[in-house]
Amino acid sequence: MPDDHAAPTTPALSRRAAVAGAGAAAVGIGLLAAGCSSGDSGSGSGSGGGATTGSSAAPSASAGTALGPASSVPVGSAALFADQKVIVTQPTAGTYEGFSSTCPHQGCTVSEVQGAALVCPCHGSTFGLDGQVQKGPATRGLTPQNVTVSGDRITLA
Ligand code: FES
């Protein structure tokens, strides 16, 4: 009976597949933990920066990710790119700054743009176009995210 040879190989293969799957899951958890710990350590006091934003913050989306049109960011205000969790401000014409939209207080999304104020709807923390705290309960500013503008396209740098 040729079927006797085929039958025992199937359970052996599925056992191996299960082991491989468990290994992959462990790697995934490790990556997540690494992401959390690096985000916590990014509270360096700036390096006297210029127009481009700092270098110590780990971006939540990868470099090169397109955010949207620069024309959607009003001068003297900001726009939220919700899918990428990034806020882009334009304090003066042609100067763009990017920030994580994750509130440093308890992690809500800073989703309300009221003129030059970025407001977290959870507890009312308010940030300026430079990402700094204007009103608590948050005690530190938004995490900078490097962005580049080419033509009318804003991209994570
Ligand atoms: Fe934003 Fe509390 S989570 S103010």
Side-chain angles (χ1 to χ4, degrees), residues 11-105:
L13 280 177
S14 54
R15 234 179 278 129
R16 282 190 179 181
V19 170
V27 169
I29 290 166
L31 286 174
L32 284 175
C36 284
S37 62
S38 71
D40 257 8
S41 64
S43 61
S45 54
S47 50
T52 53
T53 51
S55 55
S56 63
S60 59
S62 44
T65 300
L67 295 179
S71 56
S72 67
V73 183
V75 176
S77 189
L80 168 68
F81 297 95
D83 288 350
Q84 298 85 1
K85 299 186 175 176
V86 174
I87 293 176
V88 177
T89 69
Q90 188 177 186
T92 59
T95 301
Y96 296 87
E97 295 186 43
F99 301 95
S100 166
S101 65
T102 301
C103 182
H105 178 229

Side-chain angles (χ1 to χ4, degrees), residues 107-127:
C108 289
T109 297
V110 178
S111 58
E112 296 176 14
V113 177
Q114 299 174 1
L118 314 173
V119 182
C120 178
C122 287
H123 312 100
S125 288
T126 304
F127 307 88

